[in-house]
Amino acid sequence: MITFELNGEAVQADVSGDTPLLWVIRDHFKLKGSKFGCGMGLCGACSMMVDGVSTRTCVLPVVAVANRKITTIEGVGNPQMLSTLQQAWVDASVPQCGYCQSGQLISATALLKSNPNPSSEEIDQAMSGNICRCGTYPRIKKAIQSAASKAVLTGQSTQDGGVNIFEPGAQAKEGMA
Amino acid sequence: MSQQTDPLISSRRSFLKNTAMLGGGLLIGLPLSACATAGFPKAGDKDFQPDAFLQITPDNQVHFYMPRSEMGQGTYTGLTTLIAEELDVEPSAIHVHHVGPLSDYENPEIGFQATGGSTSMRVSFKPLRQAAANARAAILDAAAQQLNLPKAQLTTQNSQVLAKGKAFNYGEFVEVAAQLGVPDETPLKRSNEFKYMGKDMPRLDGVAKSTGTAQFGIDVDFPGLHRAVLVRSPVAGGSVKTVDDSAALAMAGVKKVVTIYNGVAVVATSYWQAKQAALALNIEWNEPEKLASFSSDTGKKWFADALNSGDFEEAFELGDGKDGLEKASKVYSAEYWAPYLAHSTMEPMNCVVKIEEGHCDIWVGCQTPDVARGLAARICDLSIDEVTLHSTFLGGGFGRRFNSDFVAEATEIAKASGLAIQLVWSREDDTRHDFYRPASLARFNVGVDKNGMIESWTAQRAGPNIMPYTLDEVVDGKAPGFMPNGLVDWLSKRGYGLFNGLTVDHSSVEGLYEDYDAVNKDVQHVTVDPGLPVGFWRSVGHSFSGFFKEGMMDEVAHGQKQDSVAYRLAHTKNNPKLNGVIKLAAEKSLWGKPLSKGHFHGVACHNSFESSVAQVAEVSVVNNEIKIHKITCAVDCGFVVNPDIVKAQMESGIIFALSAALHGEITLKDGKVQQSNFHDYPVLRMAQSPEIDVHIVASDKDPSGVGEPGVPPVAAAVANAVFAATGKRLRSLPLSLS
């Protein structure tokens, strides 16, 4: 039995410890937002935040995340309450086929959390583990820059608050008010 | 006898042409009435359902049953916008549904329910608007009757009928509208009346795809669903000779091990268990001899020998190409090569199949749902009415999901195991068992007259043809149920011979010769097919011919000491659309103006899928490393329904093509594909992506393709810039200076 925190809730999984976290999340917890892409940690479709760091979970044995905090795309926001980054994604029509975008958003969220105002090169670096076959890179970069500048403009710290990682939708709701 | 072809015809359209030749329209004229209602959503008693595309409920919900697959190209938004415009409903208020097979959803240009050939907007532009306009007219007729007002006093606005200052929901009139019937020739809006069409609008699937809630095939799940992993012959087309599954069967979670036509499948409770157990299988294979004897390092000679054999089929003739070469004052000759390529969609192939009580249910994201359903029916020995296909979003298509091999495999595994299964391919499976972009070798001889103008354009291409491999599946999937399997197999295999000697598969030569003015043209083809399955890869034949033709044109321009843009403009007098985009790309890229130190421009242009695209690449070369700084792109694709989606598709095509130009190469050793995953089949990442600047030509012509036409010019624009930078002419893909 392995215990960890999944999107803010303590959970337990009775699975073989060598099972990659991705398949535990998808097959056991039935959260399907994180995707299988390569099985070798090369494409980033499976990215989740492990203690805030974007991590390839298709090669991460679940035993390695015991007692750690896992955030999947479902923990970033939802259609009714988008995070600032998700809203930027929608506004810039980033997704095409959409399959890689959960992983892209996880890496982008982790980036802004640690670096509220990244340079173009820093974005390239932080997103280098995430492949998009549809070629949405220019729009991903634009959306990250737009979300970062919004956070800076509103004087918010992107440490949790600015990109609303754990309180999805707060900013979207403010925007509507 | 040459086969005269329309230079702008798409490869899938020639599929029709070629298959029509096969059996007097056998495929195209298949009786589909038996399935006319299968798969169609059942309306509520009081709903208004004017046709297979629309449904309006009494509580004013508008549902759109989208006849094409959404694989990233934007049909979900684009086609819904057409409905929104003529029905007068806010696009985001429309409920969009993926659909199963239904004859009403057939693609008129392809002949079955296919998403491909960059046709979705082109073939839907009028029919979907007409359907929506008719539905709106029917609502207005019903409103006039119910409100007892002349129709002329009624207007509509955002799902409501406006009458005498009052607003009534469409839903209030649907019951009467359903009784009154639907007019069929309602006039469409004029362009100056468009509210949504022609304007940027965020993608309607953006929220679902930014929150992980969009459902792809791989996300389908239900209690009792098992996972399957299939081990296939490392040489494509092989079959199982012997299998030792004892170790696999003893592993945790494993329920069954079954042998099917092309491999051995492990069925387990979870994917990871199936995957681990598959590693424990011990299999001997029967391998097809021809493919097993092919290795890329020596196999290129197969292609060269074929070109030298002189054993050609005539593909296209205009004037007298050979005579033109003899009369020319200068002849330029060169050979160009493009390798096999994998599609590498981000979502690996997958399919869910459940067979229970004489009914088969399939959940899959694919480009040809009716072919997939037909294949499954044949495998299960069921009628197509006994098979239901549930469509999902596609995690990338690029032509890969035009094939239904993964549906056939999943159905065979479900049938053999007696379990509901989800077949999930690994990335290695995906890279090694694709229907690849065909490798191609082409030779050009281009004659120039004393004024420096092209007198004769001749090309010869050696390589495999796509159509036999596609026919194989389409015949299996679409042949009438009463035909015995043996006969269907026989018929489908005729394709291999047909395109090797009788007629030329248009997708093997498309794009080699059409674009430039010349009084004499001659195109010949010789089939070389080692037996590696080939298929439609984003822009199909244009994916290699764009590189070949545009490299050759640059060589001729340079040989004539002419500016690359000016020389192309001088040879596109009869091709105003192409001429226009060359001018626009040159202007926007500041062609001919000084660039940053060490930066060089290259230009290329190409017509495909009835659209014209020109691109200028800005490139630098340092230590033999090619760095692409910027691509300026001009596109003329007729009337644009959503300019932002057209731009996105150009960006997408450019980055997809840059992956191929810089890295893409599938090689074989003794018939086995050597690449496996993104470390040895790399694709572009963000840091390598150049700045992309897209310009759209304003046009009131009917829309043409955008999903594919951005691809063909890219590699040539880069290679031509590399020539400008280094003086080295790169005639082989992927581009390499070392």
Side-chain angles (χ1 to χ4, degrees):
Chain A
M1 192 72 74
I2 293 148
T3 305
F4 57 95
E5 190 181 306
L6 175 57
N7 296 330
E9 280 181 40
V11 295
Q12 290 189 322
D14 185 11
V15 292
S16 167
D18 66 348
T19 310
L21 177 63
L22 172 68
W23 296 107
V24 176
I25 298 297
R26 285 183 57 86
D27 286 355
H28 187 85
F29 290 104
K30 307 290 183 194
L31 295 180
K32 305 290 189 179
S34 311
K35 305 302 185 194
F36 169 56
C38 70
M40 282 181 74
L42 298 168
C43 79
C46 64
S47 301
M48 300 175 200
M49 278 184 279
V50 178
D51 293 336
V53 177
S54 179
T55 305
R56 313 294 162 249
T57 63
C58 67
V59 287
L60 183 69
V62 64
V63 69
V65 302
N67 304 316
R68 299 175 76 179
K69 288 182 182 178
I70 308 301
T71 307
T72 67
I73 187 69
E74 290 86 354
V76 171
N78 61 57
Q80 285 70 45
M81 294 203 290
L82 300 173
S83 77
T84 305
L85 261 175
Q86 286 172 317
Q87 187 64 54
W89 242 244
V90 173
D91 292 344
S93 282
V94 170
Q96 289 189 27
C97 90
Y99 192 77
C100 73
Q101 297 299 342
S102 297
Q104 305 279 2
L105 273 155
I106 289 288
S107 290
T109 303
L111 165 66
L112 289 197
K113 195 169 174 286
S114 65
N115 180 356
N117 197 14
S119 67
S120 177
E121 290 71 26
E122 285 168 336
I123 295 174
D124 284 348
Q125 181 61 35
M127 303 304 292
S128 65
N130 292 81
I131 289 174
C132 172
R133 265 307 254 168
C134 298
T136 63
Y137 302 126
R139 287 167 188 250
I140 290 173
K141 186 176 275 187
K142 189 176 140 195
I144 293 172
Q145 286 166 337
S146 153
S149 68
K150 254 180 214 157
V152 170
L153 276 177
T154 54
Q156 290 184 340
S157 158
T158 48
Q159 298 288 347
D160 296 5
V163 291
N164 293 320
I165 298 160
F166 301 113
E167 286 181 276
Q171 194 151 5
K173 277 189 287 184
E174 273 169 31
M176 286 162 69
Chain B
M1 175 64 203
S2 75
Q3 183 195 342
Q4 289 288 332
T5 46
D6 176 341
L8 290 181
I9 214 156
S10 80
S11 60
R12 268 72 138 201
R13 233 201 261 177
S14 65
F15 176 85
L16 283 192
K17 207 184 247 184
N18 289 330
T19 49
M21 274 181 234
L22 217 192
L26 167 73
L27 278 169
I28 310 317
L30 281 181
L32 290 162
S33 53
C35 64
T37 55
F40 184 65
K42 203 153 172 60
D45 286 349
K46 293 181 174 170
D47 292 352
F48 174 47
Q49 205 161 4
D51 48 51
F53 305 107
L54 286 171
Q55 183 184 357
I56 306 172
T57 64
D59 62 351
N60 215 29
Q61 285 184 29
V62 177
H63 297 267
F64 169 43
Y65 296 89
M66 178 178 62
R68 301 276 81 84
S69 304
E70 170 62 61
M71 48 191 177
Q73 83 281 38
T75 52
Y76 193 94
T77 306
L79 301 191
T80 305
T81 303
L82 303 180
I83 297 291
E85 186 67 63
E86 296 291 347
L87 194 57
D88 207 358
V89 177
E90 183 80 31
S92 60
I94 298 176
H95 302 263
V96 186
H97 302 271
H98 306 288
V99 298
L102 184 70
S103 58
D104 298 62
Y105 302 141
E106 281 181 7
N107 186 323
E109 283 205 6
I110 298 177
F112 46 94
Q113 191 174 330
T115 303
S118 297
T119 58
S120 294
M121 181 53 75
R122 190 168 76 207
V123 303
S124 307
F125 188 61
K126 279 184 179 152
L128 283 185
R129 286 162 69 208
Q130 191 66 58
N134 294 344
R136 177 178 169 273
I139 296 278
L140 282 173
D141 285 342
Q145 183 177 320
Q146 264 176 260
L147 301 172
N148 200 17
L149 285 169
K151 202 175 162 184
Q153 289 184 19
L154 306 178
T155 57
T156 59
Q157 188 184 309
N158 199 18
S159 319
Q160 293 188 314
V161 175
L162 306 183
K164 297 204 158 182
K166 281 186 170 174
F168 305 88
N169 286 343
Y170 283 179
E172 296 183 43
F173 308 112
V174 295
E175 210 171 342
V176 173
Q179 288 159 9
L180 288 180
V182 185
D184 56 7
E185 290 292 335
T186 313
L188 301 178
K189 279 189 184 175
R190 295 164 192 277
S191 57
N192 61 7
E193 298 172 296
F194 290 161
K195 216 156 138 186
Y196 308 115
M197 282 165 55
K199 299 181 174 66
D200 285 339
M201 183 179 69
R203 289 178 66 111
L204 296 173
D205 52 1
V207 169
K209 288 176 173 178
S210 302
T211 51
T213 54
Q215 193 182 46
F216 298 89
I218 205 168
D219 303 329
V220 172
D221 205 349
F222 48 80
L225 180 65
H226 293 76
R227 299 314 195 279
V229 166
L230 178 66
V231 181
R232 297 164 193 79
S233 166
V235 180
S239 60
V240 177
K241 190 194 280 178
T242 64
V243 57
D244 175 2
D245 59 9
S246 49
L249 276 168
M251 289 174 72
V254 174
K255 298 293 174 193
K256 290 267 173 78
V257 175
V258 296
T259 297
I260 65 166
Y261 64 97
N262 67 339
V264 181
V266 176
V267 180
T269 306
S270 74
Y271 171 78
W272 189 246
Q273 292 166 331
K275 167 102 180 140
Q276 297 306 108
L279 296 172
L281 290 171
N282 200 344
I283 309 169
E284 276 187 282
W285 302 98
N286 298 307
E287 294 178 346
E289 276 178 35
K290 186 179 179 188
L291 183 54
S293 72
F294 183 84
S295 294
S296 294
D297 51 356
T298 52
K300 210 164 149 182
K301 191 170 179 301
W302 293 24
F303 291 73
D305 287 349
L307 273 190
N308 292 329
S309 72
D311 191 16
F312 293 112
E313 296 300 320
E314 204 59 43
F316 180 83
E317 279 181 299
L318 177 73
D320 189 330
K322 285 187 188 69
D323 187 54
L325 288 181
E326 279 164 24
K327 285 180 183 157
S329 56
K330 170 91 183 160
V331 175
Y332 296 90
S333 304
E335 279 183 16
Y336 280 79
W337 166 258
Y340 286 110
L341 292 176
H343 295 76
S344 294
T345 61
M346 288 308 295
E347 181 191 17
M349 300 302 108
N350 63 82
C351 179
V352 169
V353 178
K354 181 178 83 174
I355 308 168
E356 249 175 39
E357 294 168 4
H359 198 93
C360 174
D361 281 278
I362 302 168
W363 287 264
V364 69
C366 71
Q367 295 177 243
T368 55
D370 57 348
V371 174
R373 178 185 60 169
L375 280 173
R378 195 161 284 282
I379 290 164
C380 297
D381 203 17
L382 295 170
S383 76
I384 51 174
D385 294 338
E386 293 165 322
V387 179
T388 306
L389 186 142
H390 312 263
S391 297
T392 65
F393 279 116
L394 283 63
F398 315 123
R400 176 61 183 91
R401 287 183 158 93
F402 205 92
N403 293 98
S404 303
D405 52 321
F406 48 100
V407 179
E409 289 175 351
T411 310
E412 293 272 10
I413 296 166
K415 185 185 170 193
S417 68
L419 296 168
I421 61 105
Q422 178 178 48
L423 172 67
V424 179
W425 290 37
S426 66
R427 177 58 53 191
E428 289 77 14
D429 295 337
D430 203 80
T431 307
R432 291 179 169 156
H433 299 280
D434 203 342
F435 285 76
Y436 301 89
R437 192 282 298 277
S440 301
L441 183 67
R443 176 186 292 156
F444 290 95
N445 286 292
V446 178
V448 176
D449 68 18
K450 60 184 189 311
N451 299 319
M453 296 297 285
I454 294 172
E455 166 100 23
S456 181
W457 182 277
T458 72
Q460 295 160 329
R461 185 261 185 184
N465 307 304
I466 293 168
M467 215 50 72
Y469 294 92
T470 306
L471 260 189
D472 210 356
E473 285 188 353
V474 173
V475 173
D476 281 355
K478 293 289 287 184
F482 57 78
M483 277 171 70
N485 283 344
L487 181 60
V488 172
D489 269 358
W490 179 85
L491 189 63
S492 65
K493 295 290 183 283
R494 291 314 92 196
Y496 294 91
L498 189 71
F499 294 100
N500 181 11
L502 269 178
T503 179
V504 175
D505 179 348
H506 186 63
S507 66
S508 297
V509 294
E510 63 185 359
L512 286 173
Y513 60 95
E514 299 93 326
D515 289 347
Y516 291 118
D517 302 337
V519 287
N520 301 298
K521 290 185 182 182
D522 188 61
V523 183
Q524 296 177 313
H525 189 261
V526 54
T527 296
V528 183
D529 190 356
L532 185 71
V534 292
F536 299 114
W537 188 95
R538 197 174 191 174
S539 80
V540 196
H542 300 286
S543 72
F544 53 83
S545 66
F547 171 64
F548 295 176
K549 179 208 70 182
E550 284 302 296
M552 192 66 222
M553 188 61 175
D554 223 60
E555 296 200 41
V556 178
H558 181 256
Q560 289 294 305
K561 299 185 169 49
Q562 298 282 314
D563 173 75
S564 292
V565 165
Y567 199 63
R568 282 172 171 80
L569 289 174
H571 285 87
T572 47
K573 296 269 160 64
N574 295 316
N575 202 336
K577 242 165 87 168
L578 194 60
N579 192 279
V581 292
I582 298 167
K583 271 186 197 149
L584 184 59
E587 177 203 325
K588 296 294 181 185
S589 66
L590 306 178
W591 179 266
K593 303 272 172 19
L595 294 168
S596 309
K597 192 168 181 290
H599 288 210
F600 295 85
H601 267 164
V603 67
C605 60
H606 199 75
N607 283 329
S608 61
F609 309 95
E610 302 190 14
S611 292
S612 297
V613 174
Q615 292 165 354
V616 174
E618 183 179 335
V619 164
S620 65
V621 178
V622 178
N623 298 329
N624 284 339
E625 282 285 312
I626 301 167
K627 183 167 169 58
I628 295 124
H629 300 274
K630 183 176 178 181
I631 304 274
T632 305
C633 175
V635 53
D636 186 340
C637 55
F639 176 80
V640 171
V641 174
N642 186 328
D644 191 52
I645 288 184
V646 171
K647 284 184 183 169
Q649 283 310 296
M650 291 301 121
E651 293 162 7
S652 176
I654 287 166
I655 290 172
F656 192 84
L658 280 175
S659 286
L662 297 178
H663 306 297
E665 186 171 29
I666 289 290
T667 57
L668 292 93
K669 173 81 178 154
D670 301 327
K672 301 178 178 74
V673 170
Q674 293 178 288
Q675 290 71 29
S676 60
N677 207 315
F678 291 119
H679 63 289
D680 53 12
Y681 190 72
V683 299
L684 229 63
R685 292 175 187 264
M686 184 183 279
Q688 296 170 286
S689 292
E691 180 188 349
I692 297 173
D693 183 25
V694 180
H695 300 272
I696 303 171
V697 175
S699 168
D700 56 4
K701 301 277 192 319
D702 284 351
S704 48
V706 294
E708 295 169 275
V711 173
V714 176
V718 172
N720 294 341
V722 169
F723 178 78
T726 65
K728 284 184 193 156
R729 182 64 67 182
L730 300 180
R731 300 189 181 93
S732 186
L733 291 175
L735 303 173
S736 171
L737 280 162
S738 46

